[in-house]
Amino acid sequence: MSRTARWRLGLGASAVLLAATALPAPAHAEDVTDYAITVDPSAAGPKIDRTMYGVFFEDINRAADGGLYAELVQNRSFEYSADDNPAYTPLTAWTVSGAARIVDDSGRLDDRNRDYLSLGAGSSVTNTGYNTGIAVRDGEKYDFSVWARADTGTTLTVSLQDAGGTLATARRITVGKHGWARYRAAFTATRTSTTGRLTVASPTAAALDMVSLFPRDTYRHEPNGLRKDLAEKVAALHPGFVRFPGGCLVNTGSMQDYSEASGWQRKRAYQWKDTVGPVEKRATNANFWGYNQSYGLGYYEYFRFAEDIGAMPLPVVPALVTGCGQNRAVDDDALLARHIQDTLDLIEFANGPATSKWGRIRARMGHPRPFHLTHIEVGNEENLPTEFFARFTRFRAAVQAEYPSMRVISNSGPDDSGPTFDAAWKLNRDAGVDLVDEHYYNSPRWFLQNNDRYDSYDRSGPKVFLGEYASQGNAFSNGLAEAAYMTGLERNADVVRLASYAPLFANEDAVQWSPDMVWFDNHASWGSANYEVQKLFMTNVGDRVVPSTATATPDLSGPLTGAVGLSTWDTAAAYDDVRVTAADGSTLLSDDFSGDAARWTHTGTGSWTVRDGRYVQSDDSAQNTMVQAGDPRWHDYDLHVKATKTSGKEGFLVAFGVKDTGNYYWWNIGGWNNTRSAVEQAVDGGKATLLSRAGSVATGRTYDIRVTVRGRQATLFLDGQEWGRFTDDKPAEPFRQVVTRDARTGELIVKVVNARSAAARTAIDLGGARVASRARVTTLAAAPDAVNTGTSTPVAPRTSVFTGAAGRFTYTFPANSITFLRIREK
């Protein structure tokens, strides 16, 4: 019987069987336990920094404009461009009644604000806002502003309405003849709507720019403020740090500035000087994720937000090596020197006195006091470790020469393992780097398997900043796996100093990446199951780890089993001469496609046909085009296949161990825009990388592929040469725990994750500690597939009191649960 099958038995027979392996047989049936936790309160584990858990804000999924940034008008300065998105024009999100045109000439408001609207006499423009429209609430106030110019003067009429009629009393604004000026008005909503529209009309010709509408009630009531419900959800986490602004935003595109000398380049890396000063004079940019970013939410606002929520700011600056699929080292020494100086200027902007050049700019923006910046990160997920590190060392040397106490953070590339990861870590280790940023997005199974990842890290080497991680889903099963992993982060708090789930925000109508921690539309927001997990850990960290051990779940894994498959991703390819032979040499499957493909089942997308004796997938824009053949019970076999790429962006995929459409292994040859190859394991649809190395596939060339499966080991051969091998024998342990001490409250915090589908009756030995009998309990428990939405929150914390705490006691942790017991020491 498989382990999964045993879990599904529930309590009773399975509980007794587990107890027989975990603990001595008890005298009474009611004392039968599934697990035992033993705590040593006299020993001192690693200290946990207050800043250990934080958040990472990147402008992805429209997290800034249309999200955290409270501006309600989309494309307020008419700067949208096809550079941002092929579908964009300067009038995207606007409709015109009458005559209007976009002008880019010397009459503009500011050189960095290139476009403005020339509105004809008797004409109007209407903005559609974000999502379904401009959201307003009955009785709340909204502040309107516009920069306008009218050679003969005019009176603008500004109105808010939806299909049902007026949403607020219209306002009339008199525009003088003295050139560009900012004009303001205030609205009070007379009813609630999520489909509002803002209209500006003029009886005579006028020029408009920076058309803006802000809710009066923003977070901390800043005039260029943040959307309150989203900011409050971050504040409720009590994060130790805020990492910003990226991510791929800082290591993609041009490294030039936004100026006439550089040709006003729109596809640039995020550069902090573009984002400070008056909003009407800030640059605009094409966001890497396929839309425009206005920079209304810029570095000053990030620093203020971090300060407001009591978090450490942690900015990331470009290293002049692009990543996120671009992978190019910028070879321009003068440009590198300019970016290094920009980084020094950033530190002065954050920390310098109000009399310094950049400190003065901060003070003029409203914050004469320094922001107390202590950490800065250079680069993000660079896939060229040697080129990146050569530039990183120059940044670090310059920063530490002027600011010796500043901690300069490096990174280890885009993967959790592999040649790039190993090379980057060696460079970081040899150079004695303070902190190394690791990123990985893997399956829930990977997180359950790798709780011990940091147990073996060098305690005297660089510390780890786990800057981005998630388990590829927003169901509670994902949260359980992440929580189990976080117990390992805390246990290794002497190595893992900082950690942040990513991404933070997602607008449900503009998703480029999923999963995400907080979801929203134009009027509401909700925390995912992952958010609730992060909140539970962030608000119950403790000061120091208390050493503890726990018994484990018996693992009964058998051999790697499954059918075989063929697939492509953004590529057209042809396959031929598929053979599967058992370990004894007998034939399990042989297909040279001289006839039909009747033995293959098409479970993915794409277009498969037998053509000229080959099995051809001809749609080079289709993704995950899987076809399968064979018996899911096959084990200990050899798979041979010949593959030829005919067109497209990537290579081809050969699958083995295929159980169903969501559970398999595949060898992705020439993936990631034909830059590397990897073996990935899919479990319930989520993927984890088991092996990875650089490599590409040539169009028109036929490759000979062989995969040998023996037991739980697979060996992979490409054109007769061994490419790599792996053994998948690590248990996905569903029961994890860690214990910390909170010196402020005098409590032990026993944190237990039970990802089984059965309750876990557990014997807890506090090692002689004298404790109060009443313990405060916080529990997250839900069905594994439970997902929080805007209308339903099945994953939510429940608090209770447990009155049976003692030096030794028994506690039953619910199925699929995360439980924190706060037990006061006497």
Side-chain angles (χ1 to χ4, degrees), residues 219-303:
Y219 186 72
R220 297 294 174 101
H221 305 283
E222 294 287 342
N224 188 46
L226 306 181
R227 181 171 146 174
K228 193 171 183 179
D229 62 323
L230 294 181
E232 287 179 341
K233 280 187 170 56
V234 179
L237 295 169
H238 298 290
F241 65 87
V242 179
R243 177 178 181 249
F244 61 89
C248 289
L249 302 190
V250 301
N251 71 337
T252 55
S254 169
M255 298 294 165
Q256 299 289 341
D257 62 0
Y258 192 55
S259 67
E260 184 177 9
S262 63
W264 306 107
Q265 296 190 38
R266 284 291 293 267
K267 295 185 176 182
R268 309 182 314 283
Y270 194 111
Q271 299 171 55
W272 78 271
K273 289 180 179 178
D274 286 344
T275 76
V276 297
V279 291
E280 69 274 9
K281 295 186 177 183
R282 296 184 190 181
T284 190
N285 201 7
N287 183 292
F288 173 80
W289 299 106
Y291 52 89
N292 177 271
Q293 50 190 346
S294 73
Y295 289 148
L297 174 58
Y299 256 76
Y300 176 79
E301 289 76 23
Y302 286 129
F303 279 128

Side-chain angles (χ1 to χ4, degrees), residues 106 119 160 322 496 611 648 697 720 759:
S106 59
L119 188 64
L160 270 170
T322 59
V496 183
R611 187 184 308 163
V697 168

